[in-house]
Amino acid sequence: MDKFLVQGSGPLNGEVRIGGAKNSALKLMAASLLAEGSTSLLNVPDITDVAIMIELLEAMGVRVQREGHRIDIDVPAEIDPVAPYSLVERMRASIVVLGPLLSRIGRAQVAMPGGDDFGSRPIDMHLQGLEQLGATFSYEHGDINGRAEQLLGTEVFLEFPSVGATENLLMAAVLAEGTTVIENAAREPEIGDLANFLLKMGALIDGIGTSRLRIEGVTVLRPVTYEVIADRIEAATYLAALAVCGGELRLQGARPDHMEMLLRKLEEMGMACQENDSGLEAKVRDRLKAVDISTLPYPGLATDYKPFLVTALCVSHGAGMVTENIFAGRFRYIDELVRMGAEIRAEGRHAVVRGVERLSGAPVRAHDIRAGAALVIAGLAADGETVISDAHHVDRGYEDLAGKLSSVGAQVTRV
Ligand code: UD1
């Protein structure tokens, strides 16, 4: 059994280094398939999802070497364009190899991802967009088989600014013939990072950071060396720990410009946040005040922050209403928080959280990456010991969560 053992802690004090963004690194690794030769990525976090993406690239015949936070990806001329179920099942984000494979070699066989704890997560927008660029798909034995002679640029209008669909289309469009316009594109900072990486490889992209991406196809891209942006969700995790424990933290390498809405919310709750030369510093002196929270696509409040904000609300003064607008089923960890004495009533996309003075340590289970990290934070605000089982979910997205929290005074161990 892999677990976190957490004791009520606080105040926290010191500095935490924020690593590279998981949700960017995975996509840059997939995008490296677009150029033959050796691409190097710097500031790649040492997490399980990156290890799975390495396995996926290796299964395609790509040579990958990892040293600390650097990975060297050597892409051969011939790629075996298959993403097997055994890997896609472990990491849904594997689906982002579809776009690069279709544009670089015109073939892809990718297992259909199943459902997960967020509820049903269709990929219809990825497939429809790629079809508009000229790809065709057939479905057999749980696999999606994609074909494309030559992708042709066109205008694609996304029904919703899906992060994954925007990324797949962007990676397909850079080697398509002619101009592609993606309307209602997602604007998350990780998409900006992917676009900047592609620019460095020689792609032509306008409108980075906006909801209208205009891509002029080129015939070939070159391998490059590139540094992954900081993980705003990891930074949010430590801010939430500070929110419940009080104290003062410096988040080295954090990008406050990627987290504006979150910082506004935390300030509204009573946290003092300040950009500094090396990232961000934040202070909490008193118990925070409750606020209402509503998740939205970027620049709105990210759905990935929500478990942390709900946990902070659990011990804030007053009551807050939480509304989930991105994923239907992202409230499962709430039952675990209730086991710890939280006062939460959830129905459909809404939850009302009434703050209590302290939570009460209990055995709980991590259902996914962020929910698991949120339970670790809840444990910091609880009397006695909290035991969080299925800790491996947390390893998918965090490098040494227990070590980093311990270094600033929290009592967390990983067993
Ligand atoms: C990415 C992030 C995830 C984050 C999410 C929203 C990665 C690896 N994951 O997930 O952490 O929470 O963005 O910011 O980067 N949808 C469809 N059809 C589609 C695609 C999406 O209906 O073809 C729906 C989804 O079910 C969901 C919504 O659109 O309700 C947003 O999903 P999307 O933005 O695509 O999220 P992911 O890229 O899967």
Side-chain angles (χ1 to χ4, degrees), residues 123-192:
I123 51 163
D124 53 323
M125 281 189 267
H126 301 234
L127 301 176
Q128 279 164 19
L130 292 168
E131 275 172 351
Q132 283 175 264
L133 288 170
T136 56
F137 295 102
S138 61
Y139 306 92
E140 250 175 8
H141 310 301
D143 286 339
I144 306 167
N145 284 299
R147 289 278 179 283
E149 279 294 311
Q150 165 67 60
L151 295 176
L152 293 177
T154 187
E155 185 172 33
V156 180
F157 208 115
L158 292 178
E159 208 176 302
F160 180 91
S162 152
V163 170
T166 303
E167 291 164 335
N168 249 331
L169 290 170
L170 180 58
M171 289 187 276
V174 285
L175 287 179
E177 194 180 314
T179 308
T180 301
V181 176
I182 308 173
E183 292 280 8
N184 200 23
R187 291 188 279 161
E188 272 67 5
E190 294 76 23
I191 293 175

Side-chain angles (χ1 to χ4, degrees), residues 293 305-315 322 331 333-334 337 344 351 353:
I293 285 158
Y305 298 147
K306 196 187 59 190
F308 311 135
L309 290 168
V310 167
T311 304
L313 287 177
C314 285
V315 288
V322 181
F331 270 127
Y333 58 96
I334 281 181
L337 288 171
I344 310 178
V353 187

Side-chain angles (χ1 to χ4, degrees), residues 42-69:
L42 313 176
N43 200 28
V44 177
D46 187 3
I47 55 178
T48 317
D49 272 11
V50 164
I52 297 173
M53 189 54 106
I54 291 176
E55 271 187 65
L56 179 55
L57 293 176
E58 286 175 339
M60 293 185 197
V62 174
R63 276 211 321 249
V64 186
Q65 276 201 317
R66 161 163 217 153
E67 211 185 307
H69 293 128

Side-chain angles (χ1 to χ4, degrees), residues 210-267:
T210 75
S211 56
R212 184 174 194 270
L213 292 171
R214 188 172 183 282
I215 304 114
E216 203 67 58
V218 296
T219 50
V220 68
L221 294 170
R222 57 177 177 272
V224 294
T225 297
Y226 188 86
E227 183 172 335
V228 179
I229 54 166
D231 197 318
R232 63 195 167 108
I233 307 168
E234 188 192 21
T237 313
Y238 296 106
L239 290 175
L242 180 70
V244 304
C245 292
E248 200 167 333
L249 285 185
R250 292 181 303 285
L251 303 184
Q252 192 221 331
R255 289 284 300 265
D257 54 323
H258 292 164
M259 315 168 63
E260 273 182 24
M261 196 63 85
L262 175 72
L263 298 182
R264 277 180 201 211
K265 272 289 158 194
L266 291 171
E267 282 176 344

Side-chain angles (χ1 to χ4, degrees), residues 22-24 26-27 92-93 118 120-127 160-165 167 186 188 232-233 297 302-304 325-328 330 370:
K22 168 180 91 72
N23 288 353
S24 182
L26 297 174
K27 320 307 168 63
R92 275 188 66 89
F118 296 178
S120 157
R121 284 173 87 174
I123 51 163
D124 53 323
M125 281 189 267
H126 301 234
L127 301 176
F160 180 91
S162 152
V163 170
E167 291 164 335
E188 272 67 5
R232 63 195 167 108
I233 307 168
T303 178
D304 304 71
N325 293 306
I326 312 293
F327 292 111
R330 216 172 179 178
R370 307 303 166 192

